[in-house]
Amino acid sequence: MTNAPEGKIPVVLVANRGEIAVRIVAAARRIGASPVLAASAADADSLAARLADRVIIIGPAQAGKSYLRPEYVAEAAVHAGADVVHAGYGFLSEQPELAELLEAQNIAFAGPRPETLRAVGDKTSARRVAVAAGVPVAVATEIDDPSFAAALGDALGYPLLIKAVHGGGGRGIRLVHNSAELAELAPQAAAEAQAAFGNGALYLERFYPAARHVEVQVFGDGEGGVQVFGDRDCSVQRRHQKLIEECPAPGLSKARRLVLHDASRALVKALRYRGAGTVEFLVDTESDDVVFLEMNARIQVEHPVTEEAFGIDLVAAQLRLALGLDPQLPDVPAVPSVVAIEVRINAEDPDNDFRPNPGLITHVDWPRGPGIRVDTHVESGYRFPPFYDSLMAKLIVRACSRTAAVEALRSAADAVRIEGVKTTLPLHDFVLSHPDFIRGGVSTTWFAPAWEHRNSLIKEVAQ
Amino acid sequence: MTNAPEGKIPVVLVANRGEIAVRIVAAARRIGASPVLAASAADADSLAARLADRVIIIGPAQAGKSYLRPEYVAEAAVHAGADVVHAGYGFLSEQPELAELLEAQNIAFAGPRPETLRAVGDKTSARRVAVAAGVPVAVATEIDDPSFAAALGDALGYPLLIKAVHGGGGRGIRLVHNSAELAELAPQAAAEAQAAFGNGALYLERFYPAARHVEVQVFGDGEGGVQVFGDRDCSVQRRHQKLIEECPAPGLSKARRLVLHDASRALVKALRYRGAGTVEFLVDTESDDVVFLEMNARIQVEHPVTEEAFGIDLVAAQLRLALGLDPQLPDVPAVPSVVAIEVRINAEDPDNDFRPNPGLITHVDWPRGPGIRVDTHVESGYRFPPFYDSLMAKLIVRACSRTAAVEALRSAADAVRIEGVKTTLPLHDFVLSHPDFIRGGVSTTWFAPAWEHRNSLIKEVAQ
Amino acid sequence: MTTPSTPSWQDILDLVTQLDDGSFASATVEFRDVSVRVSRSADATAPAAPSALAPQVPQPTATVVAPPAATAVTTVPVVAAASPVAPVSTGTLVTAPIIGVFYRSPTPGAAPFVEPGATVTADTTIGIIEVMKLMNPVSAGSAGFLKEFLVADNAQIEFGQPLAVIIEDTSS
Amino acid sequence: MTTPSTPSWQDILDLVTQLDDGSFASATVEFRDVSVRVSRSADATAPAAPSALAPQVPQPTATVVAPPAATAVTTVPVVAAASPVAPVSTGTLVTAPIIGVFYRSPTPGAAPFVEPGATVTADTTIGIIEVMKLMNPVSAGSAGFLKEFLVADNAQIEFGQPLAVIIEDTSS
């Protein structure tokens, strides 16, 4: 950590693009620092570029030759005279290489230490740390002999997954619902694994067909001190992509919330974690099971719902901590007094299998009103580039109850006008009006069939 | 009150201009209604006009021939097929005539009943209602004989003001600090009052040289039900114009807050008050005295700090109630969990005795970031008209503590860019950096001498 | 968010004035969604397809009226393209001095004050506007003949809305 | 929010004034989404297809470099007005293929790779760019003579920044 010399205005290098770059520029302003943007040539004219005090072009449009190159970002940090680098999410945000290059230059990195990034960056090592910290993880058992599989499966409980130890990418995974099925499929799976991966070793893992994705926002002081900023539910997903997030997670019992928060606190303490992070869990809706998924060692896309719910500025806190200052985060209750919900508006065509839909945005109008926040880099006349992800904006609404928030968000989403490209707004209109979502607590497997059903109804009507 | 027919989208006539018109349009959208703007010809192209579904020109630029004419607004409401009219603040917002004209047309008025407007619109009658409801008012005693004044004054306590019963406009008012001064000045004041107003009758009133302006936000259901939404401190004033407002009022003792809230609740109950209103008090900093000033029977300019602090939408609640719907306001604690502060940015030249400064706004940039809200009708290229008040924007910041909020607001105010006209931003920079304001709880007499002092320092430096 | 420097109608008028004062035989100015084409000969200005007034902001102007005129009478010397209500026409517009309902007759069923084609003086009453039961007579404002009414009898009208066209008596 | 380099309406008016004061028989000015055409004869103003829809998003800052060139060599056939760094010059620009620090010599104190005026081939190394201790040679990219360097030795440079001007050998 570097302390900026007394009296000097600290310089923040923003090593990202899109809405999060705009967000980091705002946080830099918030703490009285000077934001400098490290941008690809394609983003030289972006909103973040115009809001920053200076822009340094680090490479061409392709992320592989610009945003994904730690040495270019570190070089830009040197050029900028940066005191701290904030890498947002994605790109280099969790790359220990960038953190190390900066450390060598005595420039702070607004994130955890490189060793923490390595410890949580790998699923196996993350699971090991979690287990050591007493965090509940998914029960898994290796099968030595396929003929004993059923007995092991009975001990684990059903449904469960048969996975190849040396498999990957979802291949060789089988779902079984009972002892008989397991006994029948295990030898078959072993044979196939042997054929496919040259090794027949299998393991069994509990499968939760109707679990929610709940995550806990943490902030560590780097010395074992931990603050927990509530939880978020991010269960509305399409192909593991989060679509809608909310804070707090609705309908969690006090006991269950305590398990999540305590486990997260223990993990952060064990890691002597520095800065903002997220501990992700599966929360089963059919049992009391809670299972650690992974830890994200960065600011998340969905951080605004936590900020809105608690009235805090997590990105400014990251910058302050990295600069050796008090992050100025209050202690908050486990459940905030208001509810915040976010929808991600993507440049994708929902009626065409969510195909990315870049192009000229001829006109855009964001909604206004109390409790409405829009995090975006998109303006009228912006040519949405094809090189990067499709996130156009995050529309966040805060209200005094979940019911009020859902309704307010529906009105706000309805008032968004985007012309020139197709967006995921119809999806949000669908979800925000759906009784299941309005009731709260849908699982991660809810969206896909619900959307299918909606599409088939539309097709029927059209015929 | 009118109930819109089932299934019909209600139409909201917005009978105001500037930032509050934009705000009411947003509230209409929020409840799924269709906003129609009643505008003067000068505002035909305004932001509110562009955001509304329809604009009806009710008269020329001069407010006296447009916004101040109840019959034109009522006519526009009929043309629009309006279900409800919202008149914002100022103009016709507290005029019983408009409410009555609308009542005759069976169109709802988003405000109290006409008789309530009359009851609280007149200071004397408002004081009478307040006294009847047990609300603390300023102690005042009429002097029958000037030679007995000192005895009456001793009973009231010093300092106090000698006022002419038939006086007005501040004329014939004398400040006295003790018995002797009073005995000396009373006969003189009586003689002058006789000469000036044809009547020598005098009265004495307690004077609070260092009192704060604290007001309570109330919402009545029209049948005696009351909700209180905390308090606001609006003590930073220049010539009785509020400059900065915050929620909650800082440093109020529990007991004092209880007095303010209970008194306000009693008043609203006594009036069977309908909708949003504000009960204003003087809160002495040198004694425990709390004194009722007046009740404002409208939404206030500074309502956003309350909305931000509690996560509510007061304007949407006004519209809902007027439409016969549940206003959807939660019950909230006396003190919110976050702090919100607002600065009013006016098109006035602070270095030229705050002379109004209309003209072409060549460029404007509002700050962004979590907890920042900007209520405005001003955009780059807007020609700020000379016909109306000078309010350009309200910049509101919400944070988890007052310290954080003051600091965040200073950063946000610093990030505002307005080119083309002079604004009151330098004033806010001064106040938000001043140790007295940072400490909290300045009185209404604080600003003027502090600003004078600042100006004389600047002059000194310049010489 | 708006269009920082989108010209107002006044700006357009200023431009047209400037072009007219200039020595151009013809001129075309396009700016954002605005285009202005002028010519000294009658042929060249046929406005091609991309028409002048395509507001990119949801302009609610359907009901909004031409120039926010302070007076009730506006001279329209050239093509009045601004208002969707006003037709292309020469003459002098009588605009509504007040919001309300426009009536052509003093009472329902009575004969109209004037018929199109009638000769009028500046003081001739051409209709009344009722606003909340109050009747306000509207006079022609200039002498000539009343070419046509631009609003129907009984129509809800706004302040400044063109009501009728007077062809001024230039002989006088 | 706004567009520093998009002309304002006032800019357009100034332009028209200037054109009128000038002695042009006709003129067409197009910039971004703006086009101005004027003529002293009645023919020239046929509005060409509604002009290029260049994004009206403003161009940034002093430190940003000319065209976001994907290649390291950019031909500058006319006045290069886009970049605040590039001087008005003809020739071929050698632009930085990478962010870093530009050195004209292989090691401190050594002689420069080339001097202005020297003849170069496409493969001639004209300098190196160091990025985080890694050295990347920069070659001339075209044959001719090196007219001038546009950045100092040891300068921090960005991707795409013009480094030198090559006057191409047209005889070959």
Side-chain angles (χ1 to χ4, degrees):
Chain A
M1 259 175 278
T2 321
N3 293 322
E6 194 66 44
K8 177 191 176 275
I9 289 176
V11 173
V12 175
L13 187 83
V14 182
N16 211 306
R17 62 173 308 283
E19 66 86 18
I20 194 65
V22 174
R23 173 71 188 85
I24 301 166
V25 168
R29 298 275 179 224
R30 170 76 187 74
I31 67 163
S34 168
V36 176
L37 184 73
S40 80
D43 290 327
D45 289 349
S46 64
L47 178 59
R50 279 175 284 127
L51 293 173
D53 286 344
R54 185 183 163 192
V55 182
I56 297 176
I57 305 299
I58 56 169
Q62 304 96 294
K65 294 178 178 174
S66 51
Y67 294 115
L68 284 167
R69 297 291 282 266
E71 69 276 30
Y72 296 176
V73 169
E75 186 75 28
V78 172
H79 290 206
D83 297 286
V84 59
V85 173
H86 196 303
Y89 50 70
F91 293 140
L92 298 172
S93 58
E94 295 177 277
Q95 290 309 311
E97 292 77 13
L98 174 61
E100 282 161 352
L101 280 173
L102 293 173
E103 211 167 59
Q105 301 289 337
N106 201 27
I107 296 170
F109 175 71
R113 285 180 293 273
E115 57 267 31
T116 313
L117 293 172
R118 287 188 212 284
V120 303
D122 171 81
K123 276 216 173 197
T124 314
S125 101
R127 185 185 156 103
R128 199 181 317 121
V129 178
V131 170
V135 175
V137 297
V139 189
T141 314
E142 211 166 315
I143 306 177
D144 293 319
D145 180 343
S147 54
F148 293 129
L152 293 169
D154 292 352
L156 274 179
Y158 297 91
L160 46 75
L161 299 172
I162 314 175
K163 291 185 174 180
V165 169
H166 297 272
R171 289 199 302 161
I173 295 182
R174 276 183 178 69
L175 174 63
V176 294
H177 295 87
N178 52 51
S179 202
E181 256 189 296
L182 175 54
E184 186 191 334
L185 289 175
Q188 206 174 311
E192 280 184 24
Q194 180 66 45
F197 313 115
N199 188 313
L202 298 176
Y203 68 101
L204 301 176
E205 197 179 79
R206 252 313 280 278
F207 174 67
Y208 299 99
R212 294 163 57 183
H213 175 113
V214 178
E215 58 190 31
V216 176
Q217 175 68 53
V218 297
F219 199 94
D221 64 6
E223 294 162 14
V226 193
Q227 285 180 292
V228 168
F229 293 96
D231 36 68
R232 295 186 287 258
D233 189 305
C234 316
S235 301
V236 180
Q237 301 186 354
R238 185 186 163 273
R239 301 195 184 160
H240 302 289
Q241 295 300 308
K242 296 168 184 169
L243 304 170
I244 300 186
E245 299 102 342
E246 56 186 292
C247 174
L252 277 195
S253 72
K254 224 173 178 173
R256 209 168 229 212
R257 175 162 277 130
L258 194 65
V259 168
L260 296 175
H261 290 203
D262 282 351
S264 304
R265 206 175 272 114
L267 183 60
V268 172
K269 202 175 157 68
L271 289 162
R272 291 179 49 250
Y273 190 90
R274 188 178 76 195
T278 300
V279 187
E280 295 191 334
F281 295 93
L282 269 190
V283 171
D284 193 22
T285 61
E286 295 172 344
S287 72
D288 285 339
D289 287 4
V290 162
V291 163
F292 170 74
L293 283 177
E294 62 177 324
M295 173 151 199
N296 293 320
R298 57 161 195 272
I299 195 78
Q300 305 253 110
V301 175
E302 58 270 25
H303 76 276
V305 291
T306 300
E307 293 187 329
E308 292 303 306
F310 288 106
I312 57 176
D313 188 327
L314 287 167
V315 183
Q318 289 184 295
L319 293 177
R320 284 202 183 97
L321 184 71
L323 288 165
L325 306 169
D326 179 353
Q328 299 186 19
L329 287 171
D331 289 325
V332 302
V335 183
S337 60
V338 294
V339 172
I341 314 182
E342 164 181 298
V343 294
R344 300 189 189 191
I345 301 172
N346 293 337
E348 296 170 4
D349 182 357
D351 294 323
N352 205 344
D353 200 31
F354 294 89
R355 199 162 6 168
N357 199 237
L360 177 67
I361 292 156
T362 51
H363 181 70
V364 63
D365 238 354
W366 302 114
R368 302 153 178 267
I372 296 177
R373 167 174 167 185
V374 180
D375 280 21
T376 189
H377 60 300
V378 169
E379 300 169 299
S380 294
Y382 180 61
R383 196 172 288 277
F384 199 91
F387 311 111
Y388 314 107
D389 73 62
S390 60
L391 182 63
M392 301 178 75
K394 304 180 308 200
L395 170 61
I396 305 108
V397 161
R398 173 178 49 94
C400 54
S401 71
R402 188 172 185 279
T403 310
V406 173
E407 204 186 293
L409 184 51
R410 198 165 48 225
S411 296
D414 193 51
V416 175
R417 294 281 166 277
I418 299 174
E419 285 159 30
V421 304
K422 298 234 167 107
T423 78
T424 48
L425 278 167
L427 178 161
H428 296 306
D429 182 48
F430 166 72
V431 175
L432 295 170
S433 310
H434 199 290
D436 292 350
F437 181 80
I438 291 170
R439 197 179 310 121
V442 298
S443 76
T444 55
T445 50
W446 171 81
F447 176 74
W451 182 251
E452 274 307 311
H453 182 62
R454 173 247 191 206
N455 291 342
S456 63
L457 285 182
I458 287 176
K459 230 178 254 168
E460 246 171 57
V461 170
Q463 276 166 357
Chain B
M1 260 175 279
T2 320
N3 294 322
E6 194 67 41
K8 176 191 176 276
I9 290 177
V11 173
V12 174
L13 188 83
V14 181
N16 212 303
R17 62 173 307 283
E19 66 86 20
I20 194 65
V22 174
R23 174 70 189 85
I24 301 166
V25 168
R29 297 276 178 223
R30 171 75 187 75
I31 67 163
S34 169
V36 176
L37 184 73
S40 79
D43 290 327
D45 286 347
S46 65
L47 177 59
R50 278 175 286 126
L51 293 172
D53 286 345
R54 185 183 163 191
V55 182
I56 297 176
I57 306 297
I58 56 170
Q62 304 96 294
K65 293 178 178 173
S66 52
Y67 295 115
L68 284 167
R69 297 291 283 264
E71 69 276 29
Y72 296 175
V73 169
E75 185 76 26
V78 171
H79 289 207
D83 297 286
V84 57
V85 173
H86 196 304
Y89 50 70
F91 293 140
L92 298 171
S93 58
E94 295 177 276
Q95 290 308 311
E97 292 76 11
L98 174 61
E100 282 162 353
L101 280 173
L102 293 173
E103 210 167 61
Q105 301 290 336
N106 201 27
I107 296 170
F109 174 73
R113 284 180 293 273
E115 57 267 30
T116 313
L117 293 172
R118 287 189 212 283
V120 304
D122 171 84
K123 276 217 173 197
T124 314
S125 100
R127 185 185 157 103
R128 200 179 317 121
V129 178
V131 170
V135 175
V137 297
V139 188
T141 313
E142 210 165 319
I143 307 177
D144 294 318
D145 181 341
S147 55
F148 292 129
L152 293 170
D154 293 349
L156 273 179
Y158 298 91
L160 48 74
L161 299 171
I162 313 177
K163 291 184 173 179
V165 169
H166 297 274
R171 289 199 302 160
I173 295 183
R174 276 183 177 70
L175 173 63
V176 294
H177 295 87
N178 53 50
S179 202
E181 258 190 296
L182 175 57
E184 187 191 331
L185 289 175
Q188 207 174 308
E192 280 183 25
Q194 180 66 45
F197 313 115
N199 187 313
L202 298 176
Y203 70 100
L204 301 176
E205 196 177 81
R206 252 314 277 279
F207 174 68
Y208 299 99
R212 294 163 58 184
H213 176 112
V214 178
E215 57 190 32
V216 176
Q217 176 68 53
V218 296
F219 199 94
D221 66 4
E223 291 161 17
V226 194
Q227 285 179 289
V228 168
F229 292 96
D231 36 68
R232 294 186 287 257
D233 189 305
C234 317
S235 300
V236 180
Q237 300 186 355
R238 184 186 164 272
R239 300 197 185 158
H240 303 289
Q241 296 298 308
K242 297 168 184 168
L243 304 170
I244 300 186
E245 300 101 342
E246 56 186 291
C247 172
L252 277 194
S253 73
K254 224 173 177 172
R256 210 168 229 214
R257 176 162 276 129
L258 194 67
V259 168
L260 296 175
H261 290 203
D262 282 352
S264 303
R265 206 175 272 114
L267 182 60
V268 172
K269 202 176 156 70
L271 288 163
R272 292 179 48 252
Y273 190 89
R274 188 178 75 195
T278 299
V279 188
E280 295 191 333
F281 295 93
L282 269 190
V283 171
D284 194 22
T285 61
E286 296 172 344
S287 71
D288 285 338
D289 286 4
V290 162
V291 162
F292 170 75
L293 283 176
E294 61 177 322
M295 173 152 199
N296 293 319
R298 57 162 194 271
I299 195 77
Q300 304 252 110
V301 174
E302 60 269 25
H303 76 276
V305 292
T306 301
E307 293 186 328
E308 292 302 307
F310 289 105
I312 56 175
D313 188 327
L314 287 166
V315 182
Q318 288 184 296
L319 293 176
R320 285 202 184 96
L321 183 71
L323 287 166
L325 306 169
D326 179 354
Q328 298 187 20
L329 288 171
D331 289 325
V332 300
V335 183
S337 60
V338 293
V339 172
I341 314 183
E342 164 181 298
V343 294
R344 300 189 189 191
I345 302 172
N346 294 336
E348 296 170 5
D349 183 357
D351 294 322
N352 205 343
D353 201 32
F354 294 88
R355 200 166 357 172
N357 199 237
L360 176 66
I361 293 156
T362 51
H363 181 68
V364 65
D365 237 355
W366 302 115
R368 300 152 177 270
I372 296 177
R373 168 173 167 186
V374 179
D375 279 21
T376 188
H377 61 299
V378 169
E379 300 169 299
S380 293
Y382 180 61
R383 197 171 286 279
F384 200 90
F387 311 111
Y388 313 107
D389 73 62
S390 61
L391 182 63
M392 300 178 76
K394 304 181 308 201
L395 170 60
I396 305 108
V397 161
R398 173 178 50 94
C400 55
S401 71
R402 188 171 186 278
T403 309
V406 172
E407 204 186 292
L409 184 52
R410 197 164 52 223
S411 296
D414 193 51
V416 175
R417 294 281 167 277
I418 299 175
E419 286 160 27
V421 304
K422 299 235 168 107
T423 78
T424 49
L425 278 167
L427 178 161
H428 296 306
D429 181 48
F430 167 71
V431 175
L432 295 171
S433 310
H434 199 291
D436 292 350
F437 181 79
I438 290 170
R439 198 178 309 121
V442 298
S443 75
T444 55
T445 49
W446 171 80
F447 175 75
W451 183 251
E452 274 305 311
H453 182 63
R454 173 248 191 206
N455 290 343
S456 62
L457 285 182
I458 289 176
K459 229 179 253 167
E460 246 169 58
V461 171
Q463 276 165 0
Chain C
M1 223 67 353
T2 243
T3 69
S5 41
T6 294
S8 68
W9 183 244
Q10 190 53 52
D11 293 329
I12 305 277
L13 293 184
D14 292 344
L15 174 68
V16 171
T17 307
Q18 188 180 349
L19 293 171
D20 195 20
D21 291 343
S23 57
F24 305 111
S26 71
T28 301
V29 176
E30 297 181 2
F31 184 73
R32 302 269 164 83
D33 51 336
V34 173
S35 83
V36 174
R37 293 181 204 97
V38 294
S39 167
R40 305 254 180 237
S41 64
D43 54 342
T45 58
S51 106
L53 272 188
Q56 65 203 101
V57 191
Q59 207 95 356
T61 35
T63 57
V64 175
V65 156
T71 61
V73 177
T74 310
T75 300
V76 187
V78 283
V79 176
S83 164
V85 183
V88 175
S89 164
T90 57
T92 301
L93 289 181
V94 185
T95 60
I98 198 169
I99 185 177
V101 177
F102 181 70
Y103 296 109
R104 286 189 48 203
S105 319
T107 53
F113 291 104
V114 283
E115 292 287 2
T119 301
V120 295
T121 69
D123 297 333
T124 305
T125 294
I126 66 160
I128 50 178
I129 295 176
E130 180 198 335
V131 50
M132 290 284 121
K133 314 288 179 233
L134 272 171
M135 301 300 165
N136 304 271
V138 180
S139 50
S142 51
F145 77 95
L146 189 147
K147 188 174 169 240
E148 58 177 329
F149 281 99
L150 301 173
V151 295
D153 194 16
N154 240 312
Q156 294 181 337
I157 51 96
E158 300 172 50
F159 169 77
Q161 185 165 343
L163 302 175
V165 182
I166 308 289
I167 305 296
E168 287 192 57
D169 187 357
T170 48
S171 65
S172 67
Chain D
M1 198 99 314
T2 245
T3 67
S5 49
T6 294
S8 69
W9 185 248
Q10 188 55 50
D11 294 331
I12 305 276
L13 294 184
D14 292 343
L15 174 68
V16 170
T17 307
Q18 192 181 341
L19 292 173
D20 194 18
D21 291 343
S23 57
F24 310 106
S26 72
T28 301
V29 176
E30 296 184 358
F31 183 71
R32 303 265 169 88
D33 50 339
V34 173
S35 83
V36 175
R37 293 182 205 96
V38 294
S39 167
R40 308 246 181 241
S41 65
D43 56 344
T45 59
S51 95
L53 264 191
Q56 63 208 90
V57 186
Q59 218 79 19
T61 61
T63 56
V64 175
V65 157
T71 63
V73 178
T74 310
T75 301
V76 186
V78 283
V79 176
S83 162
V85 183
V88 174
S89 163
T90 57
T92 301
L93 289 181
V94 184
T95 60
I98 201 172
I99 184 177
V101 177
F102 181 72
Y103 297 109
R104 287 188 47 202
S105 319
T107 52
F113 292 105
V114 284
E115 292 287 2
T119 300
V120 295
T121 70
D123 295 332
T124 304
T125 294
I126 66 160
I128 50 178
I129 295 176
E130 179 199 335
V131 51
M132 289 285 119
K133 315 288 179 230
L134 272 171
M135 302 299 166
N136 305 271
V138 179
S139 50
S142 50
F145 78 95
L146 190 147
K147 187 175 169 235
E148 59 176 328
F149 282 99
L150 301 172
V151 295
D153 193 16
N154 241 312
Q156 294 181 338
I157 52 95
E158 299 171 52
F159 169 78
Q161 186 166 343
L163 303 175
V165 182
I166 308 288
I167 304 295
E168 285 192 57
D169 187 359
T170 47
S171 64
S172 67

